[in-house]
Amino acid sequence: MASEPAFLEPVLLGALVLSAVITLVAGYRTIVGPTTPDRVVALDVIATNVVAIAALYAMFTARGLYADVALVLAIIGFISTITVARYVTEGDVIE
Amino acid sequence: MSEDREPTVIVKTVTRTVVPLIALTAIALLIKGHNLPGGGFIAGVLTTTAFALLYVIYGLDTVRRDLVTNAGGVGLLSGPTQSYTRAFAGGLALAFGSGVAAMLFDVPFLTQAVVFVDGIPLYGELEFASALAFDLGVYFVVVGSLLTIIAVVGKE
C-alpha cells in the first residue's frame, strides 16, 4: 500500500475513538431511556456503530475478514430492528 | 392477518429485495468457509434470519402457502415445521455420515481430504474439500432447528 496517504491512520484512529464514544453514550440512553422506543433506537445506534467499528478496523488492519463481520452484523442488526419495531407497534412479532 | 396490522409497502419491498441478498451472503460464507472465516453455522444462522424476516413481515400463512408448501404432519409439527425437522434430521445424518465415511478409508473419524481439479473452463483450478459435506450437514442442522423453534413459537 505505497499510495496510502499519511493522514489515513490518524483519521481512522480518530473515527474509531469517535464511534466508541458514541456507542458509550448510546449505552447510557439504553439504560436510562424512559420509554421503550428510546431504548430501541439507542440499541440500533449501538449496532450501527459496531458495524462502523468493524469496517474501520478492516481498513485499519487492511484485512478483509472484518468486512465480512461488518456485513453479517449489519444484516442481523437490520432484522433485529425491524422485529423490535414490529413488537413495539403491534405487540406480536409473528402472526 | 387483519387489515390494520398489514405492514407498510416500504417494508414489504425492502424485504423482497433483502432476502435474496441475505441468501447469497449465506451461500458465499458457506462455500468459502473451508479456507476463510465462515462455514456452515454462520451460513445457517443467516439463512434463518432471512426466513425470520419473511415470517415477521409476511406472516405464517404466506410462508406456508407460497414458500414451504408441505401439508403433511400432525399437531405441533405439521406443515412447514415438518420440513424443518426433516432438514434437521437430514443435516445430522449428513454430518455424521461424512465423519463415518472417513473410517471406510482406514483413517480416523472425521478425517478430511481435498482434491484439486485443474483445467475447468472459465474458472481455472477448483478445490473440492470433503469438509464441505460436513459444513452442509451443520448448515441444515442449524437451519432446521432454528426454523423449528421460530415456527413453533410463532404459531402459539
Side-chain angles (χ1 to χ4, degrees), chain A residues 65 68 71-72 75-76 78-79 82-83 86 90-95, chain B residues 1 5 14 22 25 29 32 37 42 46 49 56-57 59-60 150 154:
Chain A
L65 71 96
D68 291 344
L71 186 63
V72 173
I75 289 172
I76 291 178
F78 168 71
I79 289 170
I82 282 188
T83 309
R86 191 148 175 83
E90 311 283 346
D92 194 9
V93 176
I94 299 174
E95 44 188 56
Chain B
M1 194 181 286
R5 296 165 75 93
V14 167
I22 299 176
T25 313
L29 281 173
K32 77 177 191 174
I42 186 64
L46 272 186
T49 59
V56 169
I57 301 304
L60 282 169
I150 288 178

Side-chain angles (χ1 to χ4, degrees), chain B residues 70-81:
Chain B
N70 182 354
V74 285
L76 204 60
L77 297 182
S78 62
T81 318

Side-chain angles (χ1 to χ4, degrees), chain B residues 13-33:
Chain B
T13 312
V14 167
T15 301
R16 231 174 284 156
T17 315
V18 162
V19 165
L21 291 177
I22 299 176
L24 187 67
T25 313
I27 292 170
L29 281 173
L30 175 68
I31 288 176
K32 77 177 191 174

Side-chain angles (χ1 to χ4, degrees), chain A residues 32-82:
Chain A
V32 173
T35 63
T36 310
D38 285 335
R39 295 195 169 93
V40 172
V41 172
L43 282 174
D44 193 32
V45 170
I46 289 177
T48 312
N49 269 288
V50 172
V51 171
I53 288 172
L56 286 168
Y57 199 69
M59 286 197 275
F60 191 66
T61 57
R63 293 176 72 183
L65 71 96
Y66 291 103
D68 291 344
V69 175
L71 186 63
V72 173
L73 273 176
I75 289 172
I76 291 178
F78 168 71
I79 289 170
S80 60
T81 306
I82 282 188

